[in-house]
Amino acid sequence: MSIDNPAPRLSGFGLADWLCLAAAPTFAAMALLTIAYDGHDMMCMPGASVLSGMALMYLLMAAFHLAPWLRLLARRG
């Protein structure tokens, strides 16, 4: 690592790489917002858990999109 370029491994990233990295945090934020607003998508299911429906789907999507983050962390090590 040089002083001029503190993150040389990230300099080769293209737009597609940055979009891949944006997916997991975006889905995680959507899950948190869905949970915070009481999951209004479940109005027809009064006894449903907060983690059913859209919140669970967003959490799963965030987990499935963690691969680019894991590759990035593995490259740094």
Side-chain angles (χ1 to χ4, degrees), residues 22-50:
T26 301
F27 282 121
M30 290 169 68
L32 290 174
L33 286 172
T34 302
I35 291 169
Y37 287 104
D38 297 327
H40 289 297
D41 63 317
M42 298 178 287
M43 291 174 114
C44 61
M45 299 171 16
S49 167
V50 170

Side-chain angles (χ1 to χ4, degrees), residues 50-62:
V50 170
L51 289 179
S52 63
M54 293 303 290
L56 180 61
M57 192 259 326
Y58 289 140
L59 288 173
L60 286 172
M61 293 297 290

Side-chain angles (χ1 to χ4, degrees), residues 1-2 5 10 19-20 25 34 36 38-39 42 46-47 54 60-61 70:
M1 224 184 257
S2 69
N5 190 358
L10 294 179
L19 285 175
C20 286
T34 302
D38 297 327
M42 298 178 287
M54 293 303 290
L60 286 172
M61 293 297 290
L70 296 175

